[in-house]
Structures are given as C-alpha cells and as structure tokens.
Amino acid sequence: MDDLRLIFEYLMTPSSTIFIVGGLIVLLAPILVHFFIVHQTPYTSLPSIVLAGPPGAGKTALLTLLERGADRPVATHTSQTPQSVELTVSTDHKSGRPITTPYREAARDDAPGKHRKFLLIDTPGHGKLRAQALNHLFPGNGSGDAGAEKGAPNDRLRGVVFVVDAAALDDNLADAAAYLYEVLLALQRRTGAGRTSKTPNAVAVLVAANKADLFTALPASLVRGHLEAELGRIRQSRSKGLLDSGVGVDEVGAAEDQDVWLGQYGSDKFTFDQMREFDLEVDVVGGSILEAKVDKWWDWISSRI
Ligand code: GTP
Ligand code: MG
C-alpha cells in the first residue's frame, strides 16, 4: 500500500522526467495510432493499374523497372503470384500544359507538380493463373478483395496494361489474343453490368508492344492489326454455334450471343475502336523495357491516375 502511495506521489510531483515522459506519450500516441491504422488497411483507396499479358512478355520486368527506376531491368523469372507496388506519378501544370515527370524522378519528393499515388499490380501470365488477373477486374469471383461485392466491378481500377512480346508475336499470337479477349470481354461486361446499377469508373487498356529492341519486333501498328484480326477470328469461332443455327441478329438468341461477342455486335471485322461503345479506349504503343524506353507507357498510366 505504501509503495502505491509512493509511486502516486512521485507521479504527481512535478519533475522534468515526468514532463518529458508525459510529453512523449502525448506526441507519439497519435502517430502510433496513425501507423497502426494505415498498416491495417493497406491501399484501400489507391487507384490501381493491372499488368496482364502472356508469360514472358515482360510484366514483372516492367514493374521492377518502374519501381526501381533502374537503367537495366533485373533478371526475372516466371511469376506465380501477383505482386503490387505503390508508385507515384506527378504532373507539372506550370508551363500551361500538363507534363508528366519521367518515371525515374516521379517518386522523388522534390519532383515538380502534383503527386498522385497508385498501385501497380503484376499478375502471372501462365494460362492456369490468369484468373488472378481477371479477378482484379471483377473482385470476389474467387479469392481477391475481401468484402468486395461478388462479381462487382472494382472501383479503384483505372487501367489494364496488357504487355505482349512484339518480337515473338507470330508464335504467341493465338495465346496472347485469347487472353486479351478474356480481358476485354470482362471489361465489356463490366460496363454492361453498370447499366442496371451505378456506372462503373472508366477503365482503359494499353497494349504495350514490348521488346522493340529486338530486330524481329513488329511495330505497334502491326501488333495492333495482328491482334485485331486474331480477336475477330476468336469472336467468330465462339459465336459460330449461334450464328450458324439460323438465329438472326435481332432474334431471341441474340441476347446470349451478345454475352460472348466482343465489340460491335454482328460486325464483320473486329477493331479496337469498337470497344468505345463500352467506354473502353484501347491503345497500342511500342516500347522496350530492356532499353528503358517506357516513357510513353508511363505517360499513359499517368493520364489515367
Ligand atoms: P510471367 O511472369 O511468366 O507472366 O512473365 P512476365 O511477363 O512477368 O515476363 P518477365 O518480366 O519475367 O520477362 C520475361 C523475359 O523477357 C525476361 O528474361 C526479361 O529480361 C525479358 N525482357 C523483358 N523486357 C524486355 C525487352 O524490352 N527486351 C528484351 N530483349 N527482353 C526483355
Ligand atoms: Mg512475371
């Protein structure tokens, strides 16, 4: 009992130690609480960009380059799990028109202009693991964001960067296009779903034609043409059953068919411009991660954040 009284007396007697300790508690407590909360709820409100595309295209290499700002990409290996990094874009409006700070300087605190943080999410390209990428377009279909409404569009998603190997597209065209078809169809349905409830945020797609440093690499215009042609073929074969069975475009079966039909319904040729009907902009831009020529992709990302 006496001990307790002594401690109490000591605490109540003004002394510099007590003031310092008390002051520290008052100052540090809110800071600790802040970090605790930030740690508990990571990235909840950050806009996100998803990297998708066939294996070996350079998704992980791109993420690493943008994260480290290095001049050379580091060696990567096939990804099996998604990974995400927090990056910063900054845009300088001083000179009248917006200028995006190069990715190497964007993360620096003294970079000019307005800073905006976003989440860049790398996903595995292997066929069996693609659901992880598609899950970011519609969380809650499998694993993914806890608490997200099942099958609801992801509100934070701003864009999808679909990386393809422009130097090996001839060999990989069928696989790359099949994957892109899934991505675009998921985004198209997302817009469709928004017609009945609230309109989802606009999402854009950038086809990043990577490995322009290799002499076999196709220019962006050819990558675009090849992909459009192959997507058209896929669309044709997927809907063949219905079209051949004599069910016309305006007849009853059309509703089901429209679910798997990418772009303008009933059109002969597929073009990326047809995705505009669903509020989807698709750009095809060349670049090389190896030579660190990714500024156009970075500008594209910046403009979506
Ligand atoms: P998965 O994880 O399997 O889906 O593949 P990924 O898309 O993450 O590919 P990754 O980033 O691992 O790159 C595959 C290979 O391509 C690596 O050996 C890279 O060094 C190489 N690579 C990436 N970008 C370029 C480029 O611009 N030019 C050249 N020549 N090689 C590149
Ligand atoms: Mg990877």
Side-chain angles (χ1 to χ4, degrees), residues 10-292:
Y10 174 71
L11 285 177
M12 295 312 275
T13 321
S15 80
S16 51
T17 331
I18 293 293
F19 276 123
I20 290 169
V21 171
L24 280 179
I25 291 173
V26 169
L27 286 176
L28 288 181
I31 297 174
L32 289 176
V33 168
H34 168 81
F35 279 112
F36 180 73
I37 291 173
V38 167
H39 191 73
Q40 287 292 300
T41 52
Y43 314 130
T44 35
S45 55
L46 285 183
S48 63
I49 299 278
V50 170
L51 291 172
K59 300 177 290 298
T60 310
L62 178 61
L63 176 112
T64 322
L65 177 68
L66 293 179
E67 183 189 13
R68 310 210 179 149
D71 284 314
R72 287 171 279 122
V74 290
T76 56
H77 40 80
T78 300
S79 312
Q80 296 193 13
T81 49
Q83 57 167 325
S84 48
V85 294
E86 201 182 299
L87 298 175
T88 312
V89 289
S90 48
T91 317
D92 196 359
H93 278 278
K94 269 183 216 136
S95 40
R97 67 193 180 97
I99 296 172
T100 309
T101 314
Y103 67 94
R104 283 196 204 88
E105 289 139 39
R108 285 198 338 233
D109 284 341
D110 59 350
K114 201 168 152 262
H115 297 243
R116 298 180 310 281
K117 278 191 193 315
F118 73 101
L119 208 60
L120 187 66
I121 303 168
D122 176 30
T123 60
H126 190 279
K128 289 188 176 154
L129 303 171
R130 285 177 191 170
Q132 296 178 1
L134 295 167
N135 204 27
H136 283 287
L137 317 182
F138 277 109
N141 286 334
S143 50
D145 296 33
E149 203 185 316
K150 192 175 159 64
N154 180 352
D155 287 343
R156 281 163 279 138
L157 182 71
R158 293 288 184 277
V160 177
V161 177
F162 192 88
V163 187
V164 294
D165 181 344
L169 196 64
D170 286 337
D171 305 330
N172 301 332
L173 185 61
D175 182 47
Y179 189 7
L180 185 56
Y181 197 93
E182 291 304 321
V183 170
L184 292 177
L185 196 63
L187 292 172
Q188 172 178 318
R189 284 190 182 141
R190 191 174 182 279
T191 319
R195 285 192 185 131
T196 49
S197 56
K198 80 176 172 54
T199 317
N201 53 308
V203 172
V205 176
L206 172 70
V207 176
N210 187 29
K211 310 202 184 178
D213 53 286
L214 298 174
F215 81 99
T216 46
L218 300 175
S221 57
L222 274 184
V223 170
R224 183 189 192 101
H226 283 10
L227 283 174
E228 283 178 338
E230 187 64 24
L231 287 169
R233 273 194 285 276
I234 295 174
R235 180 170 82 170
Q236 208 62 43
S237 67
R238 289 208 186 176
S239 65
K240 210 153 187 75
L242 279 163
L243 286 182
D244 286 357
S245 64
V247 183
V249 168
D250 339 285
E251 289 174 49
V252 204
E256 271 171 46
D257 201 16
Q258 260 168 348
D259 257 6
V260 293
W261 186 278
L262 190 67
Q264 189 192 348
Y265 190 62
S267 54
D268 274 351
K269 278 197 178 140
F270 174 80
T271 61
F272 285 130
D273 287 344
Q274 291 175 10
M275 299 309 293
R276 292 239 173 88
E277 198 182 311
F278 302 94
D279 273 344
L280 267 175
E281 292 273 344
V282 184
D283 292 309
V284 184
V285 179
S288 163
I289 297 164
L290 190 73
E291 293 181 331

